[in-house]
Amino acid sequence: MKKAVYPGSFDPITIGHMEILQRSLEVFDEVTLLLAVNPNKNSVFSVEERLEMMREATKNMPGVKVDFYPGLTVDYCRNYGAKHLIRGLRAVTDFEYEFQLSAANHFAAPDIDMVFFMSKKENTFISSSTINELNRAGVDISPLVPPIVVEMYKRKTK
Ligand code: COA
């Protein structure tokens, strides 16, 4: 069975992430959506809230698992038996960051490779912080996120 890991901070998960996940399932039999930790980020949603949104958004997708790992993503890959890490590229500006991340991962684990999918052009402006900002400003973000994310924002403001 060909397994892969799609890591991110998913704060929150968006239709951009869902698109990459769907496309990765055409290449891999099983993909774990991994909530990983970027120490440079302050999150809006807790780990539990983000996991709940990730689980709900993917509940009807056979072949998808959801997990959390606080350490190095490549260590998770090895324990899980995956040789590939998935990432999405939205624009040229993502490239430099992804190039550095890929080099760091390769240094730590030369046996793990990264696979990149280019976002559809209509999704290239979407990022989690853009969603958070638009939502804070009162813009309807429902076309850009799975329905559970809209629910979670409502729950948070109650
Ligand atoms: N659609 C929509 N948004 C997308 C996207 C897509 N296809 N692809 C990326 N993004 C957005 C994310 O929403 C996020 O937006 P934000 O910055 O506004 O939150 C941004 O692009 C990139 O974030 P993400 O993919 O979540 O990665 P990250 O940079 O926050 O974290 C980790 C990357 C978590 C995978 C990485 O830090 C990691 O692996 N951490 C664990 C420790 C480790 O192994 N470090 C690496 C070696 S040092």
Side-chain angles (χ1 to χ4, degrees):
M1 180 188 272
K2 259 193 161 177
K3 295 176 178 177
V5 173
Y6 180 15
S9 27
F10 303 110
D11 187 37
I13 189 164
T14 71
I15 59 159
H17 296 125
M18 296 298 287
E19 183 219 335
I20 303 297
L21 180 61
Q22 252 145 13
R23 286 167 55 197
S24 67
L25 286 168
E26 286 174 25
V27 181
F28 297 96
D29 304 307
E30 189 177 279
V31 178
T32 292
L33 199 57
L34 185 71
L35 180 54
V37 178
N38 179 342
N40 302 313
K41 280 186 173 173
N42 292 318
S43 50
V44 170
F45 292 100
S46 68
V47 166
E48 291 71 27
E49 287 169 330
R50 283 181 276 163
L51 284 172
E52 185 183 337
M53 291 186 278
M54 291 157 70
R55 288 203 179 99
E56 178 63 26
T58 58
K59 70 176 183 202
N60 295 322
M61 295 174 79
V64 176
K65 294 188 165 193
V66 171
D67 208 351
F68 168 68
Y69 189 66
L72 282 187
T73 300
V74 289
D75 287 341
Y76 180 91
C77 280
R78 280 181 171 153
N79 294 336
Y80 167 56
K83 287 202 169 298
H84 295 94
L85 270 173
I86 292 162
R87 297 285 289 166
L89 285 175
R90 292 161 301 167
V92 182
T93 44
D94 279 346
F95 180 80
E96 199 168 331
Y97 176 68
E98 293 299 334
F99 191 70
Q100 299 284 336
L101 186 62
S102 167
N105 283 336
H106 187 73
F107 178 77
D111 51 318
I112 310 274
D113 221 336
M114 295 183 73
V115 176
F116 296 92
F117 288 88
M118 302 251 186
S119 286
K120 280 201 278 192
K121 72 173 183 313
E122 56 269 37
N123 288 343
T124 51
F125 75 99
I126 305 173
S127 72
S128 300
S129 43
T130 304
I131 300 286
N132 284 319
E133 200 176 334
L134 289 172
N135 180 66
R136 257 195 311 271
V139 177
D140 174 19
I141 45 90
S142 58
L144 306 178
V145 293
I148 179 67
V149 176
V150 178
E151 237 179 77
M152 195 62 91
Y153 278 121
K154 282 188 190 148
R155 248 196 259 171
K156 259 183 121 57
T157 50
K158 264 185 200 163

